[in-house]
Amino acid sequence: MNIVLTEIKENIAVVTIDNPPVNALSHVVRSGVSDAIQELCKDTSVKAIILICVGRTFCAGADISEFGKPPLSPSLSNLMAKMDQINKPLIAAIHGTALGGGFELALGCHYRIMIEGAKVGLPEVNLGLIPGAGGTQRLPRLIGVAAALEMITSGKPISARKAFEVGVVDRICDNNLLVSATKFAKDIIGKPFIKTSELELLASPEIFEEFSKKILKRTRGFLAPNIAISAVRAATEKSFVEGVKFEQECFEKLMKSPESLAQRHLFFAERLATKVPDIGKDTSIRKIEKIAIVGGGTMGCGIAISFLTNSIPVLVLEQSAKTALLAKSNIEEIINTLFVKGRLSENQKNFTTENLTISTEYSDLSLSDLVIEAVFEDMEIKKQVFQKIQKFAKQDVVMASNTSFLDLDEIASTTSKPQDVIGLHFFSPAYIMPLLEIIRTKHTSTDVLAAALKLGKLIGKKTVVSGVCTGFIANRMSSCYGREAGLLLLEGADPEQIDNVLYKFGMPMGMFSMLDIAGIDIGVLARKNIPTESFDERAFRIHEALVASGSKGQKTNAGFYCYNGKEKTLNPEVEALTQKYAEEYGIKRRKITPKEIEERCLFSLINEGFKIVEEGIAIRASDVDVVYTSAFGFPRYKGGPLHYAEHLGLDYILKRINKFAKVHGNRWWTPSSLLVSLVRENK
Ligand code: 3HC
Ligand code: NAI
């Protein structure tokens, strides 16, 4: 197979890249393109060169798997410099997604043509990097500083239409990209062409400061976005060659940063998480086309929207006509809000209206391939619902539960087909949260699991497979984190102190602010349905007392904090309760340091993460990182709890866990044996 192939027809050369799966710019591609261009420059019969890819996409960027390895010549920058010397028109013909170095390659061409539906973007910030092949210098020259800053710091790709509007591409075609590119080449042969690197760029310095301020909140803790801004600024202050040099220095510095290492770890972790050892290409996949959801409350509605916005019809079954209508109007209201905010197209909105069915009759499940139960978190109710699903749905229906904590093996055992039962644990709001935790029971068959993985991908979720345990991966870990926060309250910290430490660490918000938003009552209710030995009741006494007195969080204007309009102050009730329960439990209150708060909350989480891997609940350590970054906003630039643990040093973590065990007892602080053995092996 030729990874880079050159063909000349009449006076137009076509250089085709064929490097599956995503035409990454690996060494072999860079040298292939470089050689091809060199040859074509010498051939006087060639008047224009088209650069095109085969397979599912144009180049998806530099080959990320080469990062951190010794560089092989030619580098992408060398290739781009060579392209800049070319004396005949170069046209990039783009389909799929031209991303990162792939898009930079296209920017190094003199013209770009895109097929409708294709996208271009510079997602390097998602890897903790900035564009490193001239993107920060060429893009602003082409589309202006403001638009370039937005694209580079957000990492979000733009559509062909948008690319045409802002001036990134010269032509859009409906179909047959090569034919259109050839026609385009014929149109421009003999005409003067301009190199992007030679375009003039002017901008006032204020734009950079203003932009920096604008993105402060969304980029908190990330290193790359601000460096990207300085690289774009360099494009306005330095010559093109000097600007490229500056960009390269920034790129190399970032490449060595722990932030980029962490984000690159997550890139591969998220893709690895979709792979399950006993599910291969040959595994048969249960057909899932028609989907029903039983229970149209918060989660049922959110799950329905996740499918509807991905063009999958949904039937929502509720217990009464009144609750069914309520579910329908809730779904429609959310869809409308998403549409007004520009997050959904008119077509998506219309699809919902035409493809949402509500019902109160279990017999309406008879055509569904998958039924997802999202009723109250109560074992008895769920068992009854599963029996009804089995009675009314077809023989090979997949029966799923959205339970947060309950024993899925037990739920499955009430059906005669436990192999068809699986957990599909969405997070709230389900149409926004990126994670789908797929729970595999001891009976779940491989074709059902394969179908769930496929479905997750279809609706754009990151999927991670978990075994059965209380809370699965996400909530089991979060419970430890919440436990330590609760105990620290009793021991002398206040909610604000704890929240500030966790926020400073990089969490989107502290534990108690989060509980106030989610509703403290949800956790209180959930704990009623899980084995008491799985949590420390002392840690949640204050939560229970608050809920009992009607302080459920923001929805009641009082929880751990009191809310008055935009004003948020500590709830004095909490201080009184902590004193009371500390006394009851014989806990002597003391001054707690930020270091103790951070380590107790995070190391308990890390220890539990290792136990989850050790028990085989997670397939691998990196799956735990995917779960916690996607479900609870653990900072991506720290790579997830277990990656962060490695960064800190496993021996240090173990030492601290042992110390906490000595002080607080080993009920919760027994170190994971996996952690112990990893530390031992490393010595
Ligand atoms: N380098 C190496 N491997 C890559 C890759 C890349 N740039 N992009 C994707 N892959 C691999 C994935 O790891 C995966 O491998 P696997 O099958 O062994 O798990 C395989 O290609 C398929 O990837 P996806 O599962 O993600 O496929 P999708 O079809 O869902 O998505 C995509 C395709 C949108 C192209 C997505 O893969 C993607 O976003 N890729 C990364 C794009 C990116 O970040 N580019 C910038 C790279 S950095 C750069 O270019 C620096 C430059 O400025 C110098
Ligand atoms: P909810 O109380 O908002 O909704 C439950 C819905 O189920 C109600 O509309 C109710 O009318 C309906 N229902 C009850 N019994 C029914 C029956 N027999 N037939 C049909 N409909 C019935 O609850 P929520 O929050 O949506 O939770 C549902 C499930 O999702 C629970 O298992 C919960 O643990 C889980 N979950 C909840 C999350 C959350 O943040 N709320 C997050 C992830 C999972």
Side-chain angles (χ1 to χ4, degrees), residues 498-520:
I498 297 172
D499 281 358
N500 285 344
V501 169
L502 298 173
Y503 180 74
K504 211 165 143 216
F505 174 80
M507 300 301 286
M509 65 184 78
M511 186 73 214
F512 298 104
S513 300
M514 191 184 84
L515 283 171
D516 273 2
I517 288 180
I520 311 170

Side-chain angles (χ1 to χ4, degrees), residues 20-22 24-26 56-67 76-77 97 99-102 104 121-124 126-127 129-135 247 251 255 267-268 271-272 274-275 457:
V22 294
L25 291 157
S26 324
R56 64 207 225 209
T57 180
F58 193 79
C59 303
D63 186 338
I64 305 168
S65 65
E66 285 181 1
F67 289 176
L76 200 48
S77 305
T97 41
L99 297 176
E104 289 172 293
L122 293 170
E124 285 88 344
N126 299 330
L127 300 167
L129 297 169
I130 63 166
E247 179 198 82
F251 182 81
M255 182 67 85
F267 176 85
F268 288 112
R271 281 152 184 87
L272 191 59
T274 62
K275 298 180 173 68
K457 177 144 180 137

Side-chain angles (χ1 to χ4, degrees), residues 241-260:
V241 173
E242 283 296 308
V244 165
K245 193 164 162 264
F246 179 74
E247 179 198 82
Q248 195 61 41
E249 284 162 8
C250 295
F251 182 81
E252 279 162 20
K253 195 170 102 192
L254 284 168
M255 182 67 85
K256 293 188 193 114
S257 68
E259 286 83 355
S260 173

